[in-house]
Amino acid sequence: MITTLIEKIKETKAPICVGLDPMLAYIPDAVKQAAFAEKGENLEGAAEACLRFNEAILRETADLIPAVKPQIAMYEQFGVPGLIAYEKTVRLAKELGLIVIADVKRGDIGSTSAAYAEGHLGSITIGEKQFFPFDADMATVNPYLGSDGVKPFLEVCERCDKGIFVLVKTSNPSSGELQDRLIDGEPLYARVADLTSSWGASLMEGEWSNVGAVVGATYPKMLSELRARMPHTFFLIPGYGAQGGKAEDLAVAFNEKGEGGIVNSSRGIIAAWKQEQYREFGAEGFAKAARQATLDMIADLRRCIRFA
């Protein structure tokens, strides 16, 4: 899977992941009202609005990017209808040729972790038939319950040719409350980085492992440190744009061939129509605004990241 992701990044020359994190506040009134007219002003209507919003953005940006990252919480807030919208979003993205990184941040132990892994990346057998519940290509995993929570995902990755991104150093301001705490003179995130590298050693595809790491763009010094510490670990990099991460800070994550990471932008793209620089598109042109914001992000990253 990591080889496929890298190939798609090279094809597009865009190490970009669009975060499909629909909030009702991001969705133009016309889209919401059309969905409410069909489904009602309720959970079903809200989920339908999210799905229509996602579809428009996907169809405008799919030719520019290698991957999308739907954050499942934005769908779970609408209950079962929201999860149906999530599933349909995943399937449409894959139909359009995109890699889907499920931002689910699952982390538990034993049979619970195995169920998460099978549900999001793997399959389940019912009777004599095999089903693929959500069937994302990659998923984010919380490692703070230890190896017991990660190993079931590793097993599914090996069996189904999927990938994961382990939370190592996240982009949020309070991440340091735990992740930066020193243990025998080293920060906890460094210990997690070493574990992530060891988990990935058996799932290598050439230079890179199918076990990647989430490393935030908002901490460039740590990003550089972790790249040196994890030379064969592909990075999923949140925090660009709206959270303060800059293209200049991200170059350290990439090698001379332009490999090493994929940078996520969520509201900076999907809610671009609400930003002053894209006002000309109007609410009705929200998807075209998202396309332009994607093109602008690509141009910005290409200033700092060279592609062989």
Side-chain angles (χ1 to χ4, degrees), residues 30 32 45 119-120 157 181 187 209 226 252 254 257 284 297 306:
K32 287 185 283 194
H120 287 286
C157 286
R181 301 295 292 179
S209 172
L226 288 168
V252 294
F254 296 83
K257 295 184 289 185
E284 68 280 2
M297 181 178 174
R306 292 183 176 274

Side-chain angles (χ1 to χ4, degrees), residues 67-217:
V68 292
K69 182 178 72 65
Q71 164 50 256
I72 200 168
M74 301 307 176
Y75 303 85
E76 288 177 342
Q77 67 181 324
F78 301 119
V80 172
L83 283 176
I84 293 171
Y86 171 83
E87 179 194 26
K88 289 180 177 179
T89 295
V90 170
R91 300 209 182 284
L92 176 59
K94 294 185 74 168
E95 287 171 9
L96 292 171
L98 297 168
I99 288 178
V100 177
I101 302 170
D103 195 356
V104 296
K105 296 184 177 71
R106 295 306 194 236
D108 214 302
I109 60 172
S111 59
T112 307
S113 184
Y116 280 142
E118 298 293 0
H120 287 286
L121 296 177
S123 63
I124 185 168
T125 300
I126 302 173
E128 296 181 355
K129 295 183 178 180
Q130 189 177 30
F131 298 88
F132 299 85
F134 289 114
D135 199 26
D137 299 303
M138 309 180 88
T140 55
V141 175
N142 188 328
Y144 286 92
L145 273 74
S147 298
D148 292 337
V150 178
K151 285 180 178 177
F153 282 90
L154 302 180
E155 292 166 4
V156 169
C157 286
E158 184 170 15
R159 188 182 76 242
C160 301
D161 190 20
K162 299 294 181 78
I164 59 172
F165 289 101
V166 178
L167 305 182
V168 173
K169 178 57 184 172
T170 58
S171 60
N172 56 301
S174 66
S175 65
E177 292 175 0
L178 293 176
Q179 295 168 20
D180 296 1
R181 301 295 292 179
L182 297 182
I183 300 174
D184 296 333
E186 286 192 315
L188 178 57
Y189 69 77
R191 292 292 187 93
V192 177
D194 291 346
L195 278 171
T196 299
S197 295
S198 67
W199 290 327
S202 64
L203 289 171
M204 297 294 296
E205 289 187 16
E207 185 178 353
W208 301 103
S209 172
N210 279 303
V211 179
V214 176
V215 182

